[in-house]
Amino acid sequence: MKLAVRGIPTNAVERLRAGGLDANGQPALVAIAEGSRNPCRHCLQLIAEGEEMLVLSYRPFAHAQPYAETGPIFLHRQDCPRYEASQLPVWIAQMTPAIIRGYDRNDWIKYETGAVVSGNELGVESEKILADGTTAYVHIRSRFNCFQCRVERA
Ligand SMILES: [Zn+2]
C-alpha cells in the first residue's frame, strides 16, 4: 500500500510563527533546541541543536471533539517546507517505542488499532491499520504521547 505522510498544515504553522495563539490560547514559546531529538512537525526533520524552535500546544484535528487530544509540539522558528512523502521520515525509526493508532471518519479512536511498537515497525504498522477501509488515518506519537505525524492511504 502506498502511504501519504504529511507535516501539519502550512497555514497553521505560519499563523503560529506570526504570534498566533496555540491550542491552549497562548503564543508559542521560543526555545533553543537541546539534543538531537526535536522533530519539527511541519517539515518532519529534526531541529538542529542550538537552533531556535517554537514550543506550543497543538490539536491535530480539524475540530474540537471528545477524541481530539491536545499536546506539546515543536516547530522550526524559521520557514521550512512541509513534509509530503510516501514514506515516514528516516529518523522516526529511532523513536522507540512509539505509539500508533487509527481513527475513523468521525475522528474517533479505533481502539483495536492502538499499539506500542518499535520505531522501525511504524511503516508496516501504518499499512496494516490502513488496510481496513473503515480507518480514515493513523496518528503516530512518541512514548510521551506527543503527536508526531498523520499517515493516510495515498
Ligand atoms: Zn521544520
Side-chain angles (χ1 to χ4, degrees):
M1 176 194 303
K2 266 243 173 176
L3 300 178
V5 185
R6 295 186 187 88
I8 68 173
T10 300
N11 58 355
V13 174
E14 287 174 345
R15 194 182 56 74
L16 289 158
R17 284 184 180 138
L21 303 182
D22 71 6
N24 284 342
Q26 301 172 315
L29 301 177
V30 178
I32 303 296
E34 289 179 27
S36 57
R37 290 172 180 262
N38 302 298
C40 170
R41 272 47 161 222
H42 183 237
C43 64
L44 291 183
Q45 301 302 310
L46 297 170
I47 300 170
E49 183 157 27
E51 208 174 333
E52 280 188 330
M53 64 180 189
L54 300 181
V55 184
L56 60 115
S57 177
Y58 185 72
R59 188 188 69 214
F61 299 89
H63 307 286
Q65 44 90 10
Y67 289 85
E69 290 172 87
T70 298
I73 65 165
F74 305 134
L75 292 172
H76 278 114
R77 189 177 190 192
Q78 302 301 326
D79 285 355
C80 58
R82 186 186 191 192
Y83 186 89
E84 294 190 58
S86 57
Q87 65 274 315
L88 291 162
V90 172
W91 59 263
I92 216 157
Q94 307 300 317
M95 194 181 69
T96 295
I99 297 169
I100 189 168
R101 56 175 168 257
Y103 289 81
D104 68 16
R105 282 178 181 71
N106 296 317
D107 299 316
W108 285 28
I109 291 170
K110 295 190 67 176
Y111 291 115
E112 70 278 16
T113 66
V116 177
V117 301
S118 168
N120 59 19
E121 295 171 334
L122 287 166
V124 171
E125 283 296 319
S126 295
E127 290 182 24
K128 217 186 282 180
I129 294 171
L130 288 167
D132 178 343
T134 65
T135 301
Y137 57 90
V138 161
H139 275 187
I140 291 173
R141 292 171 173 264
S142 70
R143 66 193 158 109
F144 310 112
N145 198 33
C146 298
F147 171 78
Q148 304 297 313
C149 66
R150 173 175 164 136
V151 183
E152 296 170 63
R153 283 178 288 270

